[in-house]
Amino acid sequence: MKKILLPLCLFTFASIANAHVTLDQAKAKAGSYHKLTFKVGHGCEGSNTHTVKISLPEAATGAKPMLKPGWKIDTLNQTLSKPYESHGKKISTGVREVTWSGGQLPDAFYDEFSIQVKLSDEVGKLYFKVTQLCEKGRLDWIEIPAEGQSSKGLKAPAPVLEVEAKNEATPHH
């Protein structure tokens, strides 16, 4: 029994120590509407998380965050460097940050924070910088690997979405 329990404890501790904010579905089709679900796996220094802020790259437009009972949502709109057209209208500003605050996510639990976006037609990796504020401290999941480098060696990697070429048969909504 002791031989099994020790490796299990070490695996569990290593899993918690290496937990990051990740995307539930890390792949999507270019030009599609996509639900980004960010999984927050732990607090800071063992304390509860009370705020989660997600910065959106410009290739993710039309952001609509999902309501969470007990949490307040704030959005930050900014002028886009490249306006786009949606349903016959020219869009020149958009949500660039979504912040959930005022809730309580205990360190021993995980939760999910979701945003629906429309992805651009560009193929490649999209990085989403996340700030997690806790009763004790903060975690900034903002590291982006250099071109051609893996994010495995990073201490606080930003969640990444791999945007693949779209399938022409995929519906728009």
Side-chain angles (χ1 to χ4, degrees):
M1 177 85 168
K2 288 182 183 178
K3 291 179 182 180
I4 295 171
L5 190 56
L6 181 59
L8 181 60
C9 290
L10 291 174
F11 172 76
T12 302
F13 177 74
S15 297
I16 292 169
N18 291 324
H20 301 300
V21 174
T22 58
L23 280 169
D24 187 39
Q25 295 180 17
K27 291 185 179 185
K29 297 292 183 190
S32 69
Y33 285 86
H34 187 71
K35 179 182 172 185
L36 301 165
T37 300
F38 297 87
K39 295 165 54 171
V40 177
H42 59 79
C44 315
E45 302 175 31
S47 69
N48 294 354
T49 298
H50 60 73
T51 302
V52 174
K53 179 174 77 172
I54 299 170
S55 298
L56 302 170
E58 282 201 18
T61 60
K64 292 183 178 183
M66 181 187 259
L67 294 172
K68 290 184 69 56
W71 294 78
K72 178 184 172 206
I73 297 177
D74 289 308
T75 57
L76 173 65
N77 288 301
Q78 293 179 330
T79 301
L80 303 173
S81 64
K82 192 164 69 172
Y84 66 96
E85 196 166 304
S86 176
H87 302 286
K89 295 181 183 177
K90 183 180 176 181
I91 309 295
S92 58
T93 62
V95 174
R96 302 294 26 123
E97 286 182 0
V98 176
T99 303
W100 286 268
S101 62
Q104 287 294 312
L105 172 55
D107 181 58
F109 297 93
Y110 94 98
D111 204 347
E112 299 176 338
F113 298 81
S114 296
I115 306 168
Q116 178 183 291
V117 298
K118 170 80 164 66
L119 299 172
S120 74
D121 290 332
E122 295 177 33
V123 173
K125 293 182 179 184
L126 291 181
Y127 292 92
F128 298 84
K129 294 182 178 182
V130 178
T131 298
Q132 179 181 356
L133 302 177
C134 303
E135 292 171 351
K136 294 180 188 172
R138 68 185 282 157
L139 294 168
D140 293 300
W141 305 100
I142 61 172
E143 293 180 312
I144 298 172
E147 188 68 35
Q149 181 185 39
S150 169
S151 62
K152 289 184 181 181
L154 302 177
K155 288 184 178 183
V160 61
L161 179 69
E162 182 71 38
V163 181
E164 302 172 331
K166 63 181 169 181
N167 178 351
E168 293 303 322
T170 303
H172 291 287
H173 285 270

